[in-house]
Each structure stands twice: as structure tokens, then as C-alpha cells.
Amino acid sequence: MQQQKPNLSFWQIWNMCFGFLGIQFGFALQNGNVSRIFQTLGASIDEIPILWIAGPLTGLLVQPVVGYFSDRTWNKLGRRRPYFFYGAVLTTLALFFMPNSPTLWMAAGMLWILDASINITMEPFRAFVGDNLNQQQRPLGFSMQSFFIGIGAVVASALPYMLSNWFDVANTAPAGEIPDSVKYSFYAGGVVLFAAVLWTVMRSTEYSPAQLQAFGEAEDEVAPASENPARYWRSGAVFSLIGAAAVAFVWLYSLDKQLYVLGGCLLAFGLLQWLVSAQKNKQGKGMLVQIVDDLFTMPNTMRHLAVVQFFSWFALFSMWIYTTAAVTSVHYGSSDPTSAAYNDGADWVGLLFAIYNGFAAIAAIVIPWVVKRTSLQISHSINLLCGALGLVSFLWIKDPALLWLSMIGVGVAWASILSLPYALLADALPSQKMGVYMGMFNFFIVLPQLLAASVLGTLLNVFFDGQAIYALALGAASLVIAALYVLSIKVKRQQHSM
């Protein structure tokens, strides 16, 4: 007889999502301060996107692999919780070391380590909701994750500002040194991240493999079939040729070096498909073959949501990279990282990031009410348009003290991006592959980040005279595209009310 997962109590769901508060604490410190660290250590404005490439590349590589192995893990800590715990240990250490990087190249390397560690911790949390909650409670779980993301990011983003303005911690330092306000913020972030994740590890339980199998029989769609090796060979040839041509074009015409990333990624994806084709012909399935098979045979709902995620996260990455440079140069009139005006502007950006996350926490409570009265697609579209309005308003608002108004729309969009796509997707994923598919969904977060890191600097230099403020306008346009496309997504039945 098929079993159904029982409803969990509010506090059980609270405990299993609480770790996301710590994860977002570290993530927000990274987003709000890494560009500042890079500029302080000597990076020019057009070098910042390529230095940020560490984040998306590590996510692209780490998340599906962690998802694949977490689907197959079971020990005394459970299925997903071992990855929470050990990832939190690594992330805490990385947060302690990052602001003490003595040179730009070491800071870039630490960003790779920090982002990889955060990804190890973060990736299984999405699958954790799918494992432990039934279909009716999954949207509540994703919304609660969004709530904790908002709360954690509010405090983390505001920490440098609070330390310098409330506790007189220095927010300036000699050339080439990171201010104490940033250092102490990262130290506090490491402690909070580890404590929050440890709470979830200690206060949550997981279903055994036998129970998950029984639940999966009741909820799963048919698992996708394996792809033919010949398809991978043909597709690999196309991607390899396009990627090689792009790299050659950049070299021949001495284009911006960041464009090598785009061509290199296309070439690498083509070579990966050739490798998978060869492995399928020789030995059948392994981890690499299975991941690529699952990618090419993903559920239709996931395939359509990929487009929405792509344009949504391109906008977010534009904002994270360029808001500091935009606000300090336009609203505070300084691009000198050693000046008081620049650091005052950078602190204000940190506070703005805290504000949009605060609005996101509030929106996470309101969004379920809107979904119940419309639909997931309509609600997400409205929320993304709010975000577009928020980003483009940076061009209109001249007084930096009023920029918090822009953050209302950004916060609404952020809360929606972190919950509604997952609510749309949840029922389409086979439970025995929940981890790998949730990790793979990250591809459509990572790819726009890679594109942003590759082309944003070039676009700004060619079309906007290097003015960072126009990166936010490009982000607004990207959110409008995502808002329109989400309305085209069809589902088999009306999704659950939240």
C-alpha cells in the first residue's frame, strides 16, 4: 500500500529551514562586500566581473555533484545533513580568511573556496524540503526558506554599516588593506552561519531510504530515459565548434579578455558531451553520464522554468556586481576606494542590501496570499516587474537617502525568485533524483552569472562609457523578459495554495 508523507508541524518546518538563515548570512556578506574587497586590493571596475567568475563556476561544478552524492548518502547524520554540517565548517573557515587576503589574487582564490563551501552547504537544503514535506506543505517550506534568507541577509548586509556607525569601528583603512568593519562582519558571519546550520542538523530528522522509496512510489513521475550517445556526439560537435570559433574571434580581434569565458564555457560543454558519449559506448552509466542524461531529459516544467531563472538571475548578478560602483560614483561622487565618500557609499549599499532583504522577508509572508488569489505564474510575473521597477529607479533617484524606495521592488522580486519557481517545480521532480535535479536547476542560476561576468564589462565600456549605473538598467530589462515568459508556463494542475 502506498504511503503519504504526514504533515509536519510549524516548528518542525521552522527547524529544518532555520539553517538557511546562516547560509544567507554568509552569502549576503559575500555579495555585499566582495566587490569592495577587490577594489580595495587594486581591481579596476572592468576587472570586477571576471573576478566574480568564481561564484558561478563553482556552483556549476559543485551543486549537481553534491546533489548526485546526497541522493545516494545515508549515514548517522542522515541523507542531506552531512553536507549541511561539513559544508558549514568549510564556509566558516573561509569567512574568517577572506577579509584577511593580502593580495588581489589571494582574494580571488578565497572567493572560489568560499563559494564552493557555501554551495556544499546550500544545495541539499532545497532537496531537504522535497524529501521531508508532502506536496501540500512544500510551498510553505520554500516560503519559510525565503523568510530566513531575508532575515539573515538583513543583518549580514547591514553589519559593516552598523559596526562603523553604531560602534565606531573604522570603515576606512590604508591603501590595500580591508577596513576593520568588513573584517569583523565576516568573523561574525562565520559564527552565525555555523550555529544556524548546526541547529538544523541537530533539531531535524530525515526519512530512511525505505520510507523515501515508498513515498516516491506515490509521488514520482516516470523517470526520464537515457539519451543516445550519437546525440551527444553531434551536439558536442556543434558546441565545440561554436566555442572554439568564439575564442578565436576574441583572440584575433583583441576583444575584452572577459569574453574568453563565454567561448570557453561553450567549448567545455561540447567536450563534456563528447566525453559522455565515449563513456556511454564503453561502460554505460557513471556519475558524469547520469548527470548529463538527467540534464538533457529534465521534466518539461523545469525546462520552461530554466528560461525564467536565466533572465531573473542575470538581473540579480548585475545588481550584486555593480551596485557598489554605481552608487559610490553616481550618488556619492567618488570611485576612489581609499576616500571617505566611497566608503560611506559602500556602507550605504550594504544597508540597501539589508533593506531589500528585509522587504523580502515581509514579502515572503504576503506572497502566499497573492498566489492563493491568482496563480503561481501571475504572482511571480507581478513580483518580477516590481523588481524591474526597483532597479531602473536607480537612474531616476538622485538623493542616495531615497534609494531605499528602490529596494522595495527588489525585495519583492528576490522573495519570489527564491520560492515560487521551486513551488512550480517541486511536483515535477522524481524523489530519488531530488538532489541532483535541484543541483542541476542551479545551472540556470549559474549560466546567466557566467554570461554577466563575461559580457557586462564589455557592454558597459562599449555602449555606456563604462558607467556602472547602466548595468542596473540592463538588469531591469532582464527582469521584464522573465516576467513575461513565466506567464507562458503551463502546469498539469493548479499548484497548491501557499
Side-chain angles (χ1 to χ4, degrees):
M1 182 178 178
Q2 292 180 340
Q3 303 177 48
Q4 296 291 335
K5 295 174 187 173
N7 285 337
L8 299 186
S9 71
F10 174 85
W11 291 112
Q12 285 176 308
I13 300 175
W14 174 282
N15 289 336
M16 64 183 284
C17 295
F18 187 75
F20 240 110
L21 182 147
I23 292 173
Q24 190 59 30
F25 214 95
F27 194 53
L29 285 171
Q30 172 183 302
N31 287 340
N33 295 281
V34 165
S35 289
R36 180 181 186 174
I37 291 172
F38 286 159
Q39 284 188 281
T40 300
L41 294 176
S44 63
I45 187 65
D46 59 342
E47 290 177 324
I48 290 178
I50 199 68
L51 292 169
W52 268 84
I53 204 71
L57 273 182
T58 50
L60 189 68
L61 297 172
V62 170
Q63 289 219 21
V65 173
V66 171
Y68 176 88
F69 282 112
S70 71
D71 283 339
R72 291 157 175 78
T73 295
W74 186 262
N75 59 30
K76 62 182 180 181
L77 282 179
R79 189 185 196 190
R80 314 293 182 187
R81 289 179 299 160
Y83 298 90
F84 301 164
F85 178 76
Y86 293 113
V89 171
L90 294 174
T91 306
T92 298
L93 294 175
L95 285 169
F96 276 41
F97 281 106
M98 179 73 189
N100 292 294
S101 302
T103 61
L104 181 60
W105 71 266
M106 286 194 67
M110 282 306 307
L111 180 59
W112 283 82
I113 296 172
L114 175 59
D115 208 274
S117 303
I118 290 177
N119 274 288
I120 291 171
T121 309
M122 179 174 63
E123 192 285 327
F125 261 95
R126 299 292 189 192
F128 195 48
V129 170
D131 290 342
N132 283 12
L133 299 181
N134 58 37
Q135 292 179 353
Q136 288 69 36
Q137 288 194 313
R138 282 173 183 165
L140 173 60
F142 291 127
S143 292
M144 191 170 290
Q145 284 186 354
S146 295
F147 173 79
F148 280 123
I149 287 170
I151 295 298
V154 165
V155 181
S157 298
L159 261 184
Y161 180 91
M162 290 190 294
L163 288 174
S164 63
N165 288 275
W166 298 357
F167 301 100
D168 294 324
V169 178
N171 74 335
T172 59
E177 294 186 19
I178 309 302
D180 285 344
S181 61
V182 176
K183 288 184 178 180
Y184 296 158
S185 296
F186 273 70
Y187 301 157
V191 173
V192 171
L193 183 143
F194 185 77
V197 173
L198 186 63
W199 178 274
T200 289
V201 171
M202 302 300 295
R203 303 285 292 183
S204 298
T205 59
E206 296 186 73
Y207 291 114
S208 69
Q211 289 173 307
L212 288 172
Q213 184 178 7
F215 296 142
E217 291 173 357
E219 297 178 353
D220 285 349
E221 292 184 351
V222 177
S226 176
E227 282 292 311
N228 190 305
R231 176 183 175 182
Y232 290 136
W233 183 260
R234 293 190 300 269
S235 179
V238 172
F239 276 94
S240 297
L241 287 173
I242 295 174
V247 170
F249 189 80
V250 173
W251 179 74
L252 285 172
Y253 291 93
S254 300
L255 301 178
D256 194 320
K257 61 182 180 296
Q258 297 176 43
L259 296 175
Y260 280 117
V261 176
L262 190 58
C265 288
L266 293 171
L267 178 59
F269 187 54
L271 296 176
L272 173 65
Q273 292 179 74
W274 277 350
L275 177 60
V276 169
S277 177
Q279 287 189 358
K280 287 172 75 79
N281 284 324
K282 288 182 180 179
Q283 63 188 51
K285 295 207 172 205
M287 180 189 71
L288 183 61
V289 171
Q290 187 61 63
I291 289 175
V292 175
D293 265 351
D294 289 337
L295 175 63
F296 275 84
T297 57
M298 70 179 71
N300 285 331
T301 300
M302 181 174 173
R303 193 179 303 275
H304 287 89
L305 282 168
V307 178
V308 178
Q309 291 290 84
F310 182 92
F311 286 103
S312 300
W313 284 86
F314 183 90
L316 291 172
F317 207 59
S318 302
M319 179 184 71
W320 291 331
I321 293 176
Y322 282 108
T323 300
T324 296
V327 171
T328 54
S329 62
V330 173
H331 297 86
Y332 283 81
S334 176
S335 297
D336 178 8
T338 64
S339 70
Y342 175 92
N343 284 283
D344 287 343
D347 284 348
W348 181 232
V349 169
L351 192 59
L352 289 175
F353 280 16
I355 289 170
Y356 90 70
N357 279 286
F359 283 120
I362 297 171
I365 301 172
V366 176
I367 285 173
W369 181 86
V370 179
V371 170
K372 188 173 182 180
R373 284 154 181 78
T374 56
S375 69
L376 286 168
Q377 297 95 314
I378 292 174
S379 178
H380 195 44
S381 180
I382 293 171
N383 297 336
L384 293 177
L385 290 174
C386 290
L389 182 61
L391 286 181
V392 79
S393 68
F394 272 79
L395 280 72
W396 307 332
I397 297 175
K398 303 304 180 184
D399 183 354
L402 297 178
L403 288 175
W404 68 270
L405 294 170
S406 303
M407 296 294 98
I408 298 175
V410 173
V412 171
W414 177 232
S416 192
I417 290 167
L418 292 173
S419 57
L420 298 193
Y422 296 95
L424 277 164
L425 179 65
D427 294 345
L429 299 183
S431 65
Q432 75 272 17
K433 294 184 178 181
M434 186 73 70
V436 71
Y437 270 129
M438 285 294 185
M440 203 175 294
F441 200 46
N442 185 60
F443 287 168
F444 311 109
I445 296 173
V446 167
L447 291 175
Q449 294 180 29
L450 288 172
L451 182 64
S454 301
V455 305
L456 270 177
T458 300
L459 290 174
L460 292 181
N461 286 330
V462 172
F463 296 105
F464 303 106
D465 196 28
Q467 297 181 65
I469 192 75
Y470 290 102
L472 305 184
L474 293 173
S478 188
L479 282 178
V480 171
I481 295 172
L484 295 176
Y485 190 82
V486 74
L487 296 175
S488 70
I489 295 177
K490 308 295 183 186
V491 293
K492 292 182 179 179
R493 61 183 182 277
Q494 179 64 39
Q495 299 290 322
H496 318 293
S497 63
M498 299 171 68

